[in-house]
Amino acid sequence: MAPARAPGSPSGALCRQLLLTLAILTFACDACKTVTLHVPAKLDAEKFIGRVNLKECFKSATLIHSRDPDFQILEDGSVYTTHAILLSSEKSSFTILLSNTETHEEKEILVLLEHQTKVLKKRHSQEKVLRRAKRRWAPIPCSVPENSLGPFPLFLQQIQSDTAQNYTIYYSISGPGVDKEPRNLFYVERDTGNLFCTRAVDRETYPSFELVAFATTPDGYTPEYPLTLFIRIEDENDNYPIFTETNYIFKVFENSKVGTTVGQVCATDKDEPDTLHTRLRYSIIEQFPASPTLFSMHPTTGVITTTSSQLDRELIDKYQLKIKVQDMDGQYFGLQTTAACVINIEDVNDNLPTFTRSSYVASVEENRIDVEILRVAVQDKDLIHTANWRANYTFLKGNEDGNFKIVTDSQTNEGVLYVVKPLNYEEKQQLTLQIGAVNEAPYIGSSRSTMNMATVTVNVQNQDEGPECDPRLQTVRIKENVPVGTKNVGYKAYDPETGSSSGIRYMKSSDPEGWVDVDENSGVITILKRLDREARSGVYNISILASDKDGRTCNGVLGIILEDVNDNGPVIRQRTVIICKTVMSSAEIVAVDPDEPIHGPPFDFSLEGVLDSEVLRMWRLTKVNDTAARLSYLNDLQFGKYTVPVRVTDRLGQSLVTQLDVRLCDCVTPNDCDIYRSPRTGNGEVILGKWAILAILLGIALLFCILFTLVCGATTGAAKKPKVFPDDLAQQNLIVSNTEAPGDDKVYSTNGFTTHAVGGSAQGICGTLGSRVKSGGQETIEMVKGGHQTLESCQEAGHHHTLERCKEGGQHTLDSCRGGPTATDNCKYTYSEWYTYTQPRLGEKVQQCDQDNTHMQAQDYVLSYNYEGRGSAAGSVGCCSERQEEDGLEFLDHLGPKFRTLAETCMKR
């Protein structure tokens, strides 16, 4: 099928290019079989790619759904893309699901997407084999003039299919302008294929249309592929170019160079780009003021530049331009628009401030300060209240002493002259000042001179003045320790009119220490107290008030410089010296002299005492430097406190004895030395700390609890079975045993110890009180008679320890750890028999532990100890042990370095 051209149209106006077919639809005749759609590799969004005959697959389908969200299926079987798709492989597929909601019947159609290039190659090779050219219906591009006047409907072209020779063909179209906005703009006659436009179109709204044409038989069969029709709207120059702003405002500095950019204007045109309709030209129509012409505009870019360097803000500070933009490349028939442009001329500092007068005269009374005496004015043509206009005034000559200052009045730009330091008529009656003025901003004008100058004459007026304290601070030198009543030169003030001190009276207004008195008429000072330079270092200041007969005053300061005398001997400030004997053999002592250095070091250190005194035999001094010496002990002194007198003599022979409190400690650092924590004092006595006393009290309380428990248990046992315990019981030993045989559960109370026998019978409790083993949550005491003893602790689940006494003879061992059976019914003696035998002996032993050889209470009686393993060098440390020596504790003074670290840690805690 070939489209027919619109009648009366030019031969080349409608035909410009051929468009390729977007989709070719082929599908199998049998329903629900695979359908293949031939599409390009890139698909645009909402693109029609083919149609599937859904009725042949499932006529009663009420729900049509695509399993791939990239595709949308309409009721007539048309397939559209939902968004742009790029097929990565030559073949892709998706499934269409057809279902009936009433019968719940479902069917699927598999759709294969194959690249169109591959299909075309296959067809081309097939046509070569068959040697037959198959004609296709293809569109001829057509166009519609924008804003066409008709008549409407306007015939565009005719589309025809070759299959119309064999079938009855119905033609239809779809797409924007048909069933999408703007709707009903185009339509096609069903039988003839004539395409019409129904109304005028605005190209700026719809620049083109892309329609899809279909050729079908009356029964719905599609013998042709869908045909894409492209309709372009031809542009008409119906839009004026428009400036982006109605009024442009630019600024440029005065005296700018030729070609300086002022600004750029811009306009837009809605007509078709890259055509004469949108080719714009800019120009300046008018300038105000008209002369001289100072600006030009680039015709294509709209950039405004200067054409002269004679821009002078002081003459004209603003220019107004009328500008024009025209399309059709500026041809006379093009559409045009105008706008206004204002160019403000910015100020630069091209004018110097100029004094209105070249000389000024002012007067001021002497001794006046912070008073305004003159205002000087300048003229400046630059923009007011800017840095180019504001003036800075400066002194060029005459203010070397800093008596004046000049500041700028921000409102009037005048220079205000002040006196800031008193003037003295007696010294100078007239001063001449030379001042200059410049702007805050740098001068960039053409004048060679960069500063304007003026002269100011200041006349000083005389004034009757009071006394003058000049200089205000006066000093005198006096030796310390001078006798009370000594007189010395004092403060002197004078009358500036006469230069004399007569008639001036003096009094002190401040004397912190009350050391001096001031003579009212002469100002001479008298010493009232002993002067001590060391008490008031530096200069001792006294405030003096001087007054004349009229009551006018001035204030001065008399500084007394105290000259040092050698009245102080060197002293050792640190009276307490600590020597850690274990790590130190000496300590350094430092002396200071409050006198001046000429009366100070080098110092001489010596021990105060006779030649055969104990101090000289025990201590030695070694000089370290001019102010320090080292004190060391000579013999192996005991720990404790010692008093060592040290005499220190300065270079002029002034000396002083300092009694040093020397502490010889068993410590590592001086901070660890504490007399209350020292193990032994110098006399060898033991001093107990608060924690040791508390431990003793707790031990005594624990002993009383144990004794009370034993007494209560003994009373109960004696009441039940008074039996005599055999003498050979002392040879029995305590071992641990486990019992696993069944038996009765019995509990025995043994002076506060509870023993459980589980799974066996225990007829008696045997052995001496002395060994206690805890395993698995139960405590057991087992006694074996004769042989040698072995004691093992076992913690194996399921084994219960029992207290049992075994038969005589043989070697006794423990099998409880192996879980073997143990005989538990071989005890000959009951608890009461054991108690009757051991109670008197235990009481006697306790009584002996409570006393020493002199029948006095032992100091370490009933102390708590923790088992720390074997091999202790100290052996037993309790009074109840078999150790015969009572004072054999000397080894504590010679412990190794490891124990010393432990001792230091304990002492810190």
Side-chain angles (χ1 to χ4, degrees):
M1 179 179 71
R5 297 178 181 175
S9 61
S11 60
L14 298 179
C15 299
R16 300 200 177 175
Q17 61 179 358
L18 294 177
L19 301 178
L20 299 176
T21 303
L22 296 178
I24 300 174
L25 173 63
T26 60
F27 56 90
C29 296
D30 295 338
C32 297
K33 291 188 177 180
T34 302
V35 177
T36 302
L37 298 180
H38 303 287
V39 296
K42 183 178 180 181
L43 299 175
D44 297 331
E46 299 182 358
K47 196 74 172 179
F48 175 82
I49 62 172
R51 183 178 285 110
V52 179
N53 193 343
L54 304 178
K55 298 297 182 181
E56 291 184 1
C57 177
F58 194 13
K59 293 183 179 180
S60 60
T62 59
L63 182 62
I64 305 171
H65 175 68
S66 173
R67 294 188 181 275
D68 192 337
D70 294 339
F71 302 93
Q72 181 183 3
I73 313 301
L74 302 184
E75 293 181 358
D76 63 345
S78 300
V79 182
Y80 288 87
T81 59
T82 56
H83 55 269
I85 302 174
L86 180 63
L87 299 179
S88 59
S89 59
E90 292 183 355
K91 288 187 178 181
S92 300
S93 64
F94 68 95
T95 304
I96 300 175
L97 177 63
L98 306 175
S99 61
N100 190 314
T101 56
E102 296 180 358
T103 61
H104 301 288
E105 185 179 358
E106 294 183 353
K107 291 187 178 181
E108 292 182 352
I109 301 177
L110 179 62
V111 179
L112 295 179
L113 301 179
E114 187 174 353
H115 287 189
Q116 192 176 34
T117 55
K118 183 177 181 180
V119 175
L120 292 177
K121 291 180 180 179
K122 291 181 179 180
R123 287 187 176 179
H124 184 66
S125 60
Q126 184 178 3
E127 289 175 356
K128 284 185 176 181
V129 172
L130 298 177
R131 294 184 181 180
R132 173 187 173 188
K134 182 178 181 182
R135 296 196 303 170
R136 298 179 301 156
W137 65 326
I140 297 177
C142 65
S143 61
V144 178
E146 180 185 13
N147 303 324
S148 174
L149 300 179
F152 296 102
L154 179 64
F155 175 77
L156 300 180
Q157 67 176 353
Q158 182 182 20
I159 53 177
Q160 290 182 345
S161 173
D162 293 342
T163 59
Q165 300 175 1
N166 303 322
Y167 303 96
T168 300
I169 299 299
Y170 291 159
Y171 301 98
S172 61
I173 58 175
S174 66
V178 182
D179 50 4
K180 296 181 181 179
E181 292 295 335
R183 297 177 182 273
N184 302 322
L185 179 61
F186 303 102
Y187 73 92
V188 64
E189 292 182 347
R190 189 186 69 172
D191 298 328
T192 62
N194 293 331
L195 181 64
F196 293 91
C197 179
T198 61
R199 58 183 182 271
V201 185
D202 184 10
R203 191 209 65 83
E204 286 70 40
T205 306
Y206 301 102
S208 63
F209 296 90
E210 189 172 325
L211 308 180
V212 178
F214 303 96
T216 60
T217 60
D219 58 357
Y221 173 66
T222 305
E224 294 281 5
Y225 306 131
L227 177 66
T228 299
L229 299 178
F230 185 81
I231 301 176
R232 188 176 67 86
I233 306 302
E234 294 183 352
D235 183 47
E236 180 185 11
N237 191 20
D238 57 343
N239 290 279
Y240 284 81
I242 300 175
F243 280 105
T244 55
E245 298 180 22
T246 56
N247 289 283
Y248 290 93
I249 299 177
F250 301 115
K251 58 185 178 181
V252 63
F253 286 104
E254 61 177 330
N255 300 327
S256 295
K257 297 180 180 179
V258 176
T260 301
T261 300
V262 178
Q264 182 178 15
V265 298
C266 185
T268 60
D269 196 322
K270 294 182 180 180
D271 289 327
E272 187 174 359
D274 300 327
T275 63
L276 283 175
H277 298 164
T278 55
R279 191 172 298 173
L280 308 180
R281 289 282 179 174
Y282 301 93
S283 61
I284 298 176
I285 301 176
E286 185 180 1
Q287 172 187 306
F288 180 81
S291 179
T293 302
L294 300 175
F295 306 98
S296 65
M297 178 178 285
H298 193 279
T300 57
T301 61
V303 176
I304 302 174
T305 57
T306 58
T307 59
S308 173
S309 61
Q310 301 302 317
L311 292 174
D312 191 350
R313 190 205 64 82
E314 287 72 35
L315 295 178
I316 301 175
D317 61 351
K318 180 173 63 176
Y319 291 88
Q320 296 181 358
L321 304 179
K322 184 178 181 181
I323 57 177
K324 178 186 73 173
V325 61
Q326 189 172 19
D327 60 12
M328 301 300 292
D329 203 17
Q331 299 183 40
Y332 70 93
F333 51 82
L335 302 179
Q336 64 180 6
T337 303
T338 60
C341 178
V342 177
I343 301 176
N344 294 316
I345 308 302
E346 294 290 300
D347 183 48
V348 296
N349 189 21
D350 56 346
N351 294 279
L352 288 173
T354 305
F355 286 101
T356 57
R357 296 168 56 184
S358 60
S359 63
Y360 300 87
V361 178
S363 62
V364 62
E365 293 181 350
E366 64 174 334
N367 301 323
R368 296 287 302 276
I369 60 172
D370 296 330
V371 59
E372 177 185 330
I373 63 173
L374 181 66
R375 282 179 174 258
V376 295
V378 294
Q379 292 180 346
D380 197 319
K381 296 180 181 180
D382 290 322
L383 186 61
I384 190 172
H385 298 305
T386 64
N388 301 327
W389 174 80
R390 286 189 293 269
N392 283 339
Y393 298 90
T394 183
F395 292 102
L396 302 178
K397 288 182 181 180
N399 193 35
E400 288 77 8
D401 296 332
N403 297 97
F404 304 94
K405 76 172 182 180
I406 186 169
V407 296
T408 304
D409 188 325
S410 60
Q411 298 298 323
T412 63
N413 210 26
E414 293 177 323
V416 185
L417 184 63
Y418 289 91
V419 177
V420 294
K421 186 177 178 181
L423 299 173
N424 194 338
Y425 176 82
E426 287 72 27
E427 294 180 357
K428 192 173 291 187
Q429 292 78 35
Q430 189 180 73
L431 294 92
T432 301
L433 304 176
Q434 189 177 34
I435 59 176
V438 294
N439 293 120
E440 291 182 0
Y443 176 71
I444 60 173
S446 58
S447 176
R448 293 183 179 180
S449 176
T450 58
M451 180 180 293
N452 192 251
M453 295 176 290
T455 302
V456 178
T457 302
V458 180
N459 296 317
V460 182
Q461 299 176 353
N462 189 23
Q463 189 180 31
D464 189 9
E465 303 171 279
E468 194 167 289
C469 297
D470 187 26
R472 186 175 182 275
L473 175 62
Q474 301 176 17
T475 60
V476 294
R477 303 183 72 89
I478 304 176
K479 289 184 178 295
E480 65 172 335
N481 300 331
V482 297
V484 176
T486 303
K487 295 183 180 296
N488 205 320
V489 178
Y491 194 87
K492 288 294 182 182
Y494 67 94
D495 187 347
E497 304 293 337
T498 62
S500 173
S501 299
S502 61
I504 298 177
R505 306 170 71 90
Y506 303 92
M507 64 177 294
K508 64 176 183 179
S509 58
S510 174
D511 182 7
E513 300 292 340
W515 281 351
V516 299
D517 185 27
V518 179
D519 186 85
E520 183 179 7
N521 296 318
S522 64
V524 174
I525 61 173
T526 304
I527 306 302
L528 299 178
K529 295 180 181 179
R530 175 180 174 272
L531 304 180
D532 187 2
R533 188 196 67 85
E534 288 73 32
R536 301 283 296 189
S537 60
V539 180
Y540 180 69
N541 293 326
I542 301 172
S543 298
I544 303 296
L545 180 66
S547 61
D548 61 7
K549 60 182 179 179
D550 295 328
R552 291 170 293 191
T553 62
C554 68
N555 292 294
V557 176
L558 178 63
I560 299 177
I561 302 174
L562 297 176
E563 296 181 350
D564 183 48
V565 295
N566 192 17
D567 58 344
N568 293 280
V571 63
I572 301 174
R573 296 285 176 83
Q574 186 176 355
R575 300 295 181 92
T576 301
V577 179
I578 299 175
I579 300 177
C580 292
K581 186 177 179 182
T582 57
V583 294
M584 301 165 56
S585 61
S586 62
E588 186 176 296
I589 55 177
V590 179
V592 294
D593 193 332
D595 292 328
E596 289 187 353
I598 60 174
H599 300 144
F603 299 142
D604 180 43
F605 294 85
S606 62
L607 295 173
E608 185 69 11
V610 296
L611 294 177
D612 58 347
S613 65
E614 185 179 357
V615 174
L616 298 178
R617 292 195 301 269
M618 298 171 60
W619 305 95
R620 180 179 61 188
L621 276 174
T622 304
K623 189 173 182 180
V624 177
N625 52 39
D626 290 346
T627 60
R630 186 170 301 280
L631 177 65
S632 57
Y633 56 88
L634 297 177
N635 301 318
D636 189 9
L637 299 182
Q638 294 183 348
F639 297 111
K641 293 183 179 179
Y642 299 89
T643 300
V644 181
V646 178
R647 178 180 293 276
V648 186
T649 306
D650 62 19
R651 64 166 65 186
L652 299 181
Q654 185 74 15
S655 65
L656 185 65
V657 177
T658 304
Q659 299 291 336
L660 296 182
D661 181 14
V662 181
R663 298 185 181 185
L664 200 59
C665 292
D666 183 13
C667 59
V668 177
T669 62
N671 294 332
D672 297 335
C673 181
D674 191 345
I675 187 172
Y676 298 104
R677 294 185 296 176
S678 180
R680 290 184 181 269
T681 63
N683 298 326
E685 296 179 357
V686 177
I687 298 178
L688 298 179
K690 55 183 179 180
W691 294 108
I693 297 174
L694 180 60
I696 292 174
L697 294 177
L698 292 177
I700 293 173
L702 179 61
L703 177 62
F704 278 115
C705 293
I706 295 175
L707 290 178
F708 180 76
T709 304
L710 292 175
V711 171
C712 293
T715 304
T716 305
K720 291 183 178 180
K721 279 190 178 182
K723 288 187 179 182
V724 179
F725 214 71
D727 294 336
D728 60 353
L729 187 60
Q731 299 179 359
Q732 299 174 358
N733 304 291
L734 296 179
I735 63 174
V736 179
S737 174
N738 290 335
T739 300
E740 295 184 350
D744 298 331
D745 295 343
K746 296 182 180 182
V747 177
Y748 297 91
S749 178
T750 308
N751 294 335
F753 299 92
T754 303
T755 304
H756 298 269
V758 182
S761 61
Q763 298 177 359
I765 299 177
C766 312
T768 61
L769 182 63
S771 181
R772 179 182 181 188
V773 180
K774 184 175 182 180
S775 176
Q778 300 195 11
E779 301 173 354
T780 66
I781 301 176
E782 182 179 12
M783 184 169 60
V784 181
K785 183 177 180 182
H788 70 272
Q789 48 190 339
T790 59
L791 179 62
E792 299 178 359
S793 298
C794 306
Q795 291 183 338
E796 186 172 341
H799 296 174
H800 303 274
H801 299 264
T802 63
L803 180 64
E804 62 180 356
R805 178 177 181 272
C806 303
K807 296 182 179 181
E808 299 180 357
Q811 181 178 358
H812 306 280
T813 59
L814 287 175
D815 291 333
S816 59
C817 291
R818 295 187 297 270
T822 304
T824 61
D825 54 354
N826 294 327
C827 290
K828 295 181 180 180
Y829 308 106
T830 62
Y831 167 76
S832 60
E833 295 174 342
W834 170 79
Y835 179 80
T836 303
Y837 176 80
T838 59
Q839 181 63 21
R841 292 166 174 78
L842 181 60
E844 180 181 358
K845 188 64 175 178
V846 170
Q847 182 66 21
Q848 293 176 359
C849 285
D850 194 17
Q851 297 178 357
D852 54 15
N853 293 337
T854 60
H855 302 285
M856 299 297 292
Q857 294 290 336
Q859 293 183 3
D860 60 347
Y861 179 52
V862 187
L863 298 178
S864 299
Y865 298 94
N866 290 330
Y867 180 71
E868 297 184 354
R870 290 184 170 182
S872 175
S876 175
V877 295
C879 65
C880 297
S881 66
E882 297 298 331
R883 186 179 180 91
Q884 299 300 324
E885 304 87 0
E886 294 187 0
D887 296 329
L889 301 177
E890 290 78 5
F891 66 92
L892 294 175
D893 296 332
H894 306 284
L895 297 175
K898 296 183 179 179
F899 182 80
R900 186 173 303 281
T901 303
L902 177 61
E904 294 170 10
T905 305
C906 296
M907 291 173 68
K908 291 180 180 179
R909 293 183 180 176

